Amino acid sequence: MNLSRLRYAFLGGIYSNYWALRATLDDITRRGVDGVWFLGDLGAFGPHPDRIPELLIERGIAGIQGNYEEALSSRADDCHCGYTDPRDNHFAQISYDYTFGKTSDEHKDWMGTLPREIRFEAGGKRFLLVHGSPRRINEFLWRSTSPDPFLERLCQEAVADVVVCTHTGLHWHRELPSGRHLVNAGVVGRPANDGRTNVWYTLVETGPDSLAVEFVPVSYDHPRLAGEMQKEGLPGEFIETVMTGWWTTCLEVLPPKERAAGRF
């Protein structure tokens, strides 16, 4: 093992997708890493939300709050997702109400104990793990609308060389002129609006003079997930996304470039 280089795995929003989470953790175990973290939004979208914290706790995986954990632990009336469009909020409310009703009080309380950020140093770099952004738990950082000067200021004000986030559902990475990095880890919970049914997690390898980011596709038993969603009475739009790889909801928040890459 090269002790001067370290490799970490980051899991974006899991969205109650138990089968994708299991397949992701199995893939990570096969590859061997030096650390694994989840980045929040354990519930939403999928069925049987209590299975996600159970598996994460069983595997001893650490992580942070997303807006879902913030909302569930405080017994809020909505998901604090940050949407402004009525259609986005309509489906977000369906998802949150289902997740709230199916998540045990024990797990809601556990979510309240999770930190909102994690910091560590590796390879001579200061890492900051957040859900939306260093500024706000539900801020959307999109590739097309995040120019370098803005990201430089964000990293500088956060006192971080590498910021790892999620929340948007789409994975991307930018190395900035200063050598800092913004890594959006994407999500484990649903496809990336690309017509593929797999999901994604992120590997980051760091050493004294470099940082490499790999987005890893994971195939899983998505028909099984879709069947469970149907039995639980979740919206057909959610099931269609699982089966086709195209988003059918939470679309209005997408900037024009990201929206044009999808089907709808």
Side-chain angles (χ1 to χ4, degrees):
M1 177 184 293
N2 185 351
L3 297 179
S4 66
R5 301 197 63 78
L6 298 165
R7 189 161 61 156
Y8 301 122
F10 300 103
L11 313 181
I14 299 170
Y15 301 162
S16 299
N17 191 335
Y18 175 78
W19 302 109
L21 176 60
R22 272 189 51 175
T24 297
L25 294 178
D26 289 346
D27 189 77
I28 290 169
T29 298
R30 285 193 296 270
R31 291 169 181 265
V33 298
D34 299 288
V36 185
W37 289 270
F38 63 83
L39 302 177
D41 280 4
L42 308 183
F45 194 69
H48 310 301
D50 269 342
R51 296 188 301 191
I52 303 306
E54 287 171 358
L55 183 56
L56 293 171
I57 293 168
E58 174 190 318
R59 299 286 183 98
I61 297 171
I64 60 173
Q65 286 186 27
N67 51 279
Y68 248 78
E69 289 68 51
E70 177 188 72
L72 290 168
S73 64
S74 65
R75 277 60 170 183
D77 293 331
D78 63 65
C79 66
H80 299 173
C81 292
Y83 299 131
T84 57
D85 181 83
R87 187 175 188 273
D88 285 349
N89 279 318
H90 168 72
F91 283 105
Q93 195 66 50
I94 292 173
S95 181
Y96 182 73
D97 290 345
Y98 171 86
T99 304
F100 187 93
K102 296 285 187 175
T103 301
S104 69
D105 285 338
E106 178 185 0
H107 285 142
K108 288 173 184 169
D109 292 340
W110 170 78
M111 291 171 185
T113 69
L114 298 172
R116 291 173 65 95
E117 65 177 43
I118 289 176
R119 293 179 180 268
F120 61 88
E121 291 194 17
K125 302 172 186 65
R126 298 165 297 181
F127 280 71
L128 171 62
L129 314 185
V130 293
H131 182 72
S133 83
R135 303 189 304 184
R136 196 168 70 247
I137 199 168
N138 62 358
E139 182 170 11
F140 295 94
L141 296 182
W142 306 103
R143 182 199 296 268
S144 70
T145 58
S146 299
D148 286 358
F150 165 68
L151 295 178
E152 290 277 21
R153 185 173 69 252
L154 205 63
C155 293
Q156 185 174 11
E157 291 176 353
V159 194
D161 304 307
V162 184
V163 173
V164 187
C165 64
T166 177
H167 192 55
T168 67
L170 300 175
H171 53 279
W172 59 278
H173 164 230
R174 179 93 49 82
E175 181 174 3
L176 301 169
S178 66
R180 297 185 176 96
H181 295 258
L182 192 292
V183 182
N184 191 314
V187 297
V188 171
R190 70 171 180 166
N193 198 27
D194 58 3
R196 299 170 59 180
T197 58
N198 64 269
V199 296
W200 300 83
Y201 75 94
T202 297
L203 287 175
V204 175
E205 184 174 296
T206 184
D209 301 311
S210 65
L211 183 138
V213 177
E214 179 184 359
F215 298 115
V216 182
V218 177
S219 297
Y220 69 101
D221 193 348
H222 64 281
R224 186 171 186 175
L225 175 70
E228 291 182 349
M229 294 170 76
Q230 187 172 28
K231 288 179 181 177
E232 287 295 295
L234 290 166
E237 289 87 349
F238 294 2
I239 297 168
E240 182 179 350
T241 292
V242 168
M243 293 303 295
T244 66
W246 297 111
W247 292 6
T248 57
T249 62
C250 301
L251 286 165
E252 308 307 322
V253 72
L254 290 171
K257 188 170 183 179
E258 280 80 1
R259 178 121 189 209
R263 176 183 289 179
F264 301 107

